[in-house]
Amino acid sequence: MLAFAEASNVPVATSFRRQDYVDNGSPAYAGVLTIGLDPALARRVEEADVVLALAPASARSPPGSTPLLEPPRPRQTLIHVHADPDELGRVYGG
């Protein structure tokens, strides 16, 4: 995935507990999308046309934060890949 992201100039962000999934020195690494969210990264997500979410534990925003994707129908095209089919569609409708 990282090789594709680097070759395609696609930014990759991680969750707080998955920071080690992407080399922070990679040109594709965009930051962490949870605790301590950089406002510039938040804007990038909010302005994105497409968001690909790979197996996040939950599509919900952290408590007290503004959602980057507005439920139940985000403006962005959301592609959500998850091993548990019951997780899909729980927060964001299709």
Side-chain angles (χ1 to χ4, degrees):
M1 179 198 68
L2 185 58
F4 169 80
E6 289 174 347
S8 303
N9 197 30
V10 174
V12 177
T14 65
S15 67
F16 179 74
R17 290 192 170 94
R18 303 292 185 257
Q19 293 179 55
D20 61 331
Y21 281 21
V22 177
D23 178 355
N24 293 177
S26 166
Y29 181 70
V32 180
L33 276 176
T34 53
I35 298 169
L37 178 60
D38 182 326
L41 178 55
R43 275 190 305 280
R44 288 180 79 180
V45 173
E46 291 167 343
E47 294 171 357
D49 296 320
V50 177
V51 173
L52 171 61
L54 297 175
S58 174
R60 294 171 187 80
S61 298
S65 67
T66 302
L68 299 175
L69 306 174
E70 282 295 325
R73 302 240 186 281
R75 181 197 58 74
Q76 305 89 331
T77 297
L78 174 61
I79 303 167
H80 188 183
V81 180
H82 201 285
D84 180 0
D86 293 331
E87 181 67 22
L88 302 175
R90 289 181 59 196
V91 176
Y92 298 99

